[in-house]
Amino acid sequence: MTDARTSMPRGLFGDDALPLYERTAKQLLDDLRAAAARPGDRLPSERALVERYAVSRVTLRAALAQLESRGIVRPSSSRGWFVAELDVLPEATVASASAAPQVQGFADYAQVNGLTTAGKVLSATVRPATVSEAEQLRIAPGADLFDLHRLRFLDGLLVVLEHNRLPLAACPALAETDFNTASLYATLRAADPPQLPRVADYSVEARHPTPREIELFEIGETMPMLVATQLTSNQESRPIELTVQVYRGDRYRFRASITNEI
């Protein structure tokens, strides 16, 4: 199985392979171009945009946040959203961003491939960050850390045991969200300000299962486990997520494109 958080090369799928909020951002940008939008033009209300694109308000805000991060639109306190400068509205803006590798969440991967997701939270707590965690996430030792352990399923099959650690200050709603059903990345995108996963340092190693993993996955001692470690940064290049994912070796495949830049 392709990693739930590693995007597949663009071109393998069309625009439908993009997460819904990215497709919404592209549609909105296309509409701005079609309407010959000018700097300072006000966008319709969020309610009108939700109805136009048939998406949730969470998805719409993630789309607007993505366009804001590219300099295409800007918010105004209590007045709504406005078009930014025309010189940052070229045709290549979305095309180049879509062509680049994207950090993809488990739920995003499932949606693209028409799979049903489910989760089972094993623990969800707020605790002080250790010195090691603080160094990786660039927060103060002892700062509030949201610590989440859960099992992730695709079409009813257990695929991954996941351990997420995130600075609570980046998204206080984490502590109040039910991640048996909620998407972690959708929750980050809906934060104020939005936290958009942009870059991930990713490594994979193989090892034998632990006694707890043998019990949870209902496997034998000889089944290899693939362990993926990921440090994800947001649109401002600040680390927002430290994750360890443990996969059954027979339900995971890692793919990557390697390029020699000349």
Side-chain angles (χ1 to χ4, degrees), residues 60-168:
L60 175 67
R61 288 178 175 172
L64 289 168
Q66 185 179 77
L67 294 179
E68 180 189 8
S69 71
R70 299 173 186 169
I72 295 168
V73 299
R74 58 179 174 80
S76 178
S77 178
S78 74
R79 297 182 59 207
W81 290 84
F82 293 81
V83 177
E85 295 297 325
L86 282 176
D87 60 4
V88 296
L89 205 61
E91 182 70 27
T93 302
V94 164
S96 61
S98 296
Q102 301 289 309
V103 179
Q104 189 178 48
F106 189 88
D108 296 329
Y109 170 86
Q111 182 182 46
V112 166
N113 290 278
L115 302 171
T116 301
T117 64
K120 180 181 179 181
V121 172
L122 302 177
S123 66
T125 60
V126 175
R127 60 170 176 82
T130 66
V131 172
S132 176
E133 292 165 341
E135 287 178 347
Q136 294 180 81
L137 293 168
R138 288 163 46 190
I139 58 178
D144 284 344
L145 192 74
F146 180 67
D147 187 302
L148 174 66
H149 287 83
R150 56 181 170 164
L151 301 174
R152 313 297 303 276
F153 299 81
L154 288 175
D155 285 351
L157 294 176
L158 175 59
V159 174
V160 58
L161 168 63
E162 192 171 71
H163 181 201
N164 311 103
R165 286 160 288 174
L166 305 94
L168 188 62

Side-chain angles (χ1 to χ4, degrees), residues 10 32 50 59 65 75 130 132 146 163 167 205 223 242 251 258:
R10 297 304 184 199
L32 290 174
V50 162
T59 297
T130 66
S132 176
F146 180 67
H163 181 201
E205 63 181 85
M223 172 64 70
L242 178 60
R251 293 182 181 174
I258 301 174

Side-chain angles (χ1 to χ4, degrees), residues 16-78:
D16 287 346
L18 296 174
L20 181 57
Y21 79 96
E22 288 192 26
R23 300 202 302 270
T24 304
K26 186 178 184 301
Q27 291 173 332
L28 177 54
L29 180 55
D30 288 344
D31 285 349
L32 290 174
R33 292 199 189 101
R38 298 176 299 176
D41 284 353
R42 185 175 180 176
L43 273 63
S45 68
E46 288 190 5
R47 176 178 296 180
L49 292 173
V50 162
E51 293 177 357
R52 176 178 178 83
Y53 300 115
V55 296
S56 68
R57 184 155 294 192
V58 168
T59 297
L60 175 67
R61 288 178 175 172
L64 289 168
Q66 185 179 77
L67 294 179
E68 180 189 8
S69 71
R70 299 173 186 169
I72 295 168
V73 299
R74 58 179 174 80
S76 178
S77 178
S78 74

Side-chain angles (χ1 to χ4, degrees), residues 94-262:
V94 164
S96 61
S98 296
Q102 301 289 309
V103 179
Q104 189 178 48
F106 189 88
D108 296 329
Y109 170 86
Q111 182 182 46
V112 166
N113 290 278
L115 302 171
T116 301
T117 64
K120 180 181 179 181
V121 172
L122 302 177
S123 66
T125 60
V126 175
R127 60 170 176 82
T130 66
V131 172
S132 176
E133 292 165 341
E135 287 178 347
Q136 294 180 81
L137 293 168
R138 288 163 46 190
I139 58 178
D144 284 344
L145 192 74
F146 180 67
D147 187 302
L148 174 66
H149 287 83
R150 56 181 170 164
L151 301 174
R152 313 297 303 276
F153 299 81
L154 288 175
D155 285 351
L157 294 176
L158 175 59
V159 174
V160 58
L161 168 63
E162 192 171 71
H163 181 201
N164 311 103
R165 286 160 288 174
L166 305 94
L168 188 62
C171 181
L174 291 168
E176 303 171 358
T177 302
D178 180 5
F179 287 106
N180 285 297
T181 55
S183 162
L184 179 62
Y185 275 22
T187 303
L188 291 172
R189 293 168 191 147
D192 185 16
Q195 301 296 314
L196 307 179
R198 281 287 182 261
V199 178
D201 294 327
Y202 193 85
S203 64
V204 182
E205 63 181 85
R207 62 163 170 75
H208 294 296
T210 66
R212 182 168 183 256
E213 291 162 1
I214 290 174
E215 179 183 357
L216 289 172
F217 283 93
E218 299 181 348
I219 55 175
E221 296 180 358
T222 59
M223 172 64 70
M225 309 303 288
L226 291 178
V227 182
T229 302
Q230 179 171 310
L231 179 64
T232 305
S233 299
N234 67 4
Q235 69 274 23
E236 297 177 348
S237 299
R238 290 199 60 84
I240 56 170
E241 177 198 19
L242 178 60
T243 291
V244 176
Q245 299 165 312
V246 181
Y247 293 87
R248 282 179 51 151
D250 62 344
R251 293 182 181 174
Y252 178 90
R253 179 179 293 119
F254 175 74
R255 294 190 181 98
S257 297
I258 301 174
T259 303
N260 182 17
E261 295 290 348
I262 300 177

